[in-house]
Each structure stands twice: as structure tokens, then as C-alpha cells.
Amino acid sequence: QTVSFGAGAPATGVYGGSYQTTASATSGLAIVLAIDPTSTPGVCSLAGATVDFTGIGTCTIDASQAGDTSFAPASAALSIAVVRASPSISTQASAPVEAGGQISDAASVSGGSGPTGTVTFDVYGPGDTGCATALDSSTATVTGDGTYQSAAFTPLAPGTYEWVASYGGDAGNAAVAGTCADPGESGI
């Protein structure tokens, strides 16, 4: 007999996700699944045939079949690289105002796995087309996928002001940032 995980077994998993194992033996005898002790500590857990990805690192699943009077014992191992989730960020600056009015930015973080941490909002002044020197910076605390607001900024001179918002990431979510002159990130 041989033991295998089937064609759909992943090489990569995402933090916060799961995988339903499909291990089987050619004999048709029952398989025993276990987390291999060489796995990164805390990277995955096993409940029945479901593997939950609870950390970052390598999760190795062992599938074994003890055999019987007709079949010799057999086993297989599946190693899955568990990586951070890759959230996205979309942004929208407030409507243009006269000099002396207040402008702000909003950033939506989505597609993460329970993201935490902060979104940083930097505002750049007229003539700084490469967003080299921020005039002001503010942060918002991230408590999951959602929309977060910058602090208000008061431009004192007329011109185009650019916002750049960035999510700093956390243990299970990769950092992501907008870029200078992203659509919707200019205020006048």
C-alpha cells in the first residue's frame, strides 16, 4: 500500500486559512493524521482532517496507515509553507478646499486575516511631486478589515497636496502601501 495526500494538496498556506486534508491509502484502510514535530511551533493545528494555519513558518502533516495482515505499514508527509495574508489598501482623499480649510484621507484595509496595527497617513505639499518630505503624518489603529480615517490637515498655501497611506502589517498580515499620486489621493 501507499499513502498520499492527493493532487489538491497545497505547497503554500495563508495565515488564518485552513486546508481540508485528502490523504488516503491505496489499501482503503483508515489514515491517521498528525502534526509533525519538525513543524514550526504554533504554525498549525489539526482537528479531524482540517488543518488550521495559526502562525507563520512550515507546517508538516504526517499521514500514516499501520497496515494489517494483508498490507505493510505506509506513511507520507506534506510540508506547507504558511505565509502572511496579503491585505490590500485603497484610499480616498477628502474633497478639495480653499487654503485654510481642512483636508483628510481615508484608507480601506481589506483581504487580511484579522489585521491589527496601524495605518499611517502622510501628506505632501505642493511641488513635492515625488512625495519626498511629508508635511504631516498621522496614524489610525487597525482593528480588522475596514476603513480608517487620518487626522485633519490644514493646508496654508494653495496647490495640490498628495496623501500616501500605508498599513504596517502585523504577525499574520504583510505590510502594504499606496504610492505617491495614487488616483483619488490629491487634495487642493
Side-chain angles (χ1 to χ4, degrees):
Q1 75 174 332
T2 59
V3 172
S4 66
F5 281 90
T12 304
V14 176
Y15 173 84
S18 63
Y19 161 61
Q20 184 70 29
T21 58
T22 57
S24 62
T26 55
S27 65
L29 296 172
I31 296 291
V32 175
L33 298 170
I35 303 294
D36 192 281
T38 64
S39 295
T40 304
V43 75
C44 56
S45 63
L46 182 65
T50 302
V51 180
D52 291 313
F53 303 125
T54 55
I56 307 300
T58 302
C59 174
T60 301
I61 311 297
D62 293 328
S64 59
Q65 206 305 303
D68 63 10
T69 56
S70 301
F71 296 98
S75 63
L78 172 66
S79 289
I80 302 169
V82 183
V83 298
R84 288 176 165 186
S86 297
S88 62
I89 191 168
S90 60
T91 54
Q92 182 63 54
S94 59
V97 298
E98 298 290 325
Q102 292 188 327
I103 60 173
S104 62
D105 195 22
S108 295
V109 176
S110 61
S113 179
T116 60
T118 58
V119 171
T120 300
F121 298 91
D122 293 317
V123 63
Y124 300 86
D128 190 354
T129 57
C131 298
T133 305
L135 295 176
D136 196 28
S137 184
S138 65
T139 60
T141 300
V142 174
T143 56
D145 286 349
T147 300
Y148 301 93
Q149 189 71 38
S150 73
F153 174 75
T154 304
L156 300 177
T160 301
Y161 290 78
E162 297 288 341
W163 289 94
V164 176
S166 58
Y167 166 61
D170 62 20
N173 293 278
V176 62
T179 58
C180 189
D182 273 351
E185 283 295 272
S186 298
I188 299 173

